[in-house]
Amino acid sequence: MLICNVSLVRLKAYYQRKTGQDDVQAQLMKELTSFEAHLLMTQEVVEIRGKVGRCVPVILPLETRQALSSIASKIVRKACSIPVESSYIFGSKTGGVFRAYDAISIVAQEAGLSSPSLIRTSNMRKYMATMVQALDTSEAERSWIMQHLGHNMDVHLHHYRQTSDVLERTEVATILLIQDFGIVPHYVGRKLSDIQLDGKLF
């Protein structure tokens, strides 16, 4: 996922995000572990346009929900002098958007890191790609991850495309949590389907 694409998320895409579960997902819930079910019910997915017009999913964790709801609020946008005609969720007063790269740089600098310049989305994608190699992932699982990263992937079967938001909120989200909590060494060589974080993170 290119961070510049996230900057250009439109309000319409945000309001059309995948939440909760539909009839198909209700059936899939029966096959999920309690941890996967928790991820499915607490995370949302926004689909945005990536390279060459492909839809790229963006996971919205529970902790971002309130902030995004405020940013999308007409009252808040009016108070911040964001033009009414702005169609972007991260719209600015000038009618453009806030640059995500600049936002990440500011946060990295203010966090007091020893090497804030290394906090770049390109490095994050490289790290995730390397981490996936350490896990025993199947070809299908790698295709879900590549789709999440916005990379080209020849293997993307029709079945997986239909259930992409379920996979985003369970399988891909599990990998992201392993990365975020720095517990990659515990799962090197493990199959993604065998990794259960029940009771460890929630």
Side-chain angles (χ1 to χ4, degrees), residues 11-56:
L11 285 165
K12 182 179 180 181
Y14 171 71
Y15 288 128
Q16 292 177 342
R17 67 192 183 282
K18 304 290 181 65
T19 63
Q21 59 177 309
D22 56 23
D23 292 340
V24 174
Q25 293 161 4
Q27 291 298 315
L28 290 174
M29 284 283 283
K30 300 174 183 177
E31 307 299 325
L32 301 178
T33 65
S34 59
F35 178 70
E36 290 172 331
H38 171 78
L39 291 177
L40 181 61
M41 297 307 298
T42 58
Q43 303 195 89
E44 301 174 344
V45 173
V46 170
E47 293 183 343
I48 64 176
R49 192 170 297 277
K51 290 183 177 179
V52 298
R54 292 188 307 114
C55 273
V56 178

Side-chain angles (χ1 to χ4, degrees), residues 49-84:
R49 192 170 297 277
K51 290 183 177 179
V52 298
R54 292 188 307 114
C55 273
V56 178
V58 178
I59 296 177
L60 304 179
L62 181 62
E63 58 268 24
T64 67
R65 197 171 300 172
Q66 185 174 352
L68 288 171
S69 178
S70 296
I71 292 172
S73 166
K74 291 181 179 179
I75 296 174
V76 171
R77 293 170 74 83
K78 183 178 180 180
C80 294
S81 302
I82 298 173
V84 177

Side-chain angles (χ1 to χ4, degrees), residues 20-186:
Q21 59 177 309
D22 56 23
D23 292 340
V24 174
Q25 293 161 4
Q27 291 298 315
L28 290 174
M29 284 283 283
K30 300 174 183 177
E31 307 299 325
L32 301 178
T33 65
S34 59
F35 178 70
E36 290 172 331
H38 171 78
L39 291 177
L40 181 61
M41 297 307 298
T42 58
Q43 303 195 89
E44 301 174 344
V45 173
V46 170
E47 293 183 343
I48 64 176
R49 192 170 297 277
K51 290 183 177 179
V52 298
R54 292 188 307 114
C55 273
V56 178
V58 178
I59 296 177
L60 304 179
L62 181 62
E63 58 268 24
T64 67
R65 197 171 300 172
Q66 185 174 352
L68 288 171
S69 178
S70 296
I71 292 172
S73 166
K74 291 181 179 179
I75 296 174
V76 171
R77 293 170 74 83
K78 183 178 180 180
C80 294
S81 302
I82 298 173
V84 177
E85 60 272 15
S86 174
S87 61
Y88 302 105
I89 191 167
F90 298 111
S92 66
K93 293 180 180 180
T94 62
V97 297
F98 285 100
R99 290 179 31 151
Y101 176 82
D102 293 339
I104 290 176
S105 296
I106 292 170
V107 171
Q109 291 289 342
E110 293 180 348
L113 304 177
S114 58
S115 301
S117 62
L118 295 179
I119 306 300
R120 303 176 59 179
T121 54
S122 58
N123 288 340
M124 294 177 192
R125 290 198 305 276
K126 289 176 183 177
Y127 176 72
M128 186 171 183
T130 302
M131 183 189 69
V132 168
Q133 294 299 316
L135 298 173
D136 184 10
T137 53
S138 68
E139 190 173 23
E141 289 166 342
R142 287 192 294 274
S143 76
W144 306 333
I145 297 162
M146 291 303 103
Q147 184 190 15
H148 173 79
L149 293 174
H151 294 172
N152 290 324
M153 192 73 176
D154 293 332
V155 181
H156 188 55
L157 302 178
H158 181 63
H159 171 71
Y160 298 133
R161 193 177 299 121
Q162 283 184 320
T163 59
S164 62
D165 66 295
V166 175
L167 300 175
E168 277 289 313
R169 288 187 277 167
T170 56
E171 307 296 345
V172 177
T174 297
I175 289 176
L176 291 175
L177 286 170
I178 290 172
Q179 172 182 300
D180 290 346
F181 282 89
I183 54 178
V184 177
H186 298 295

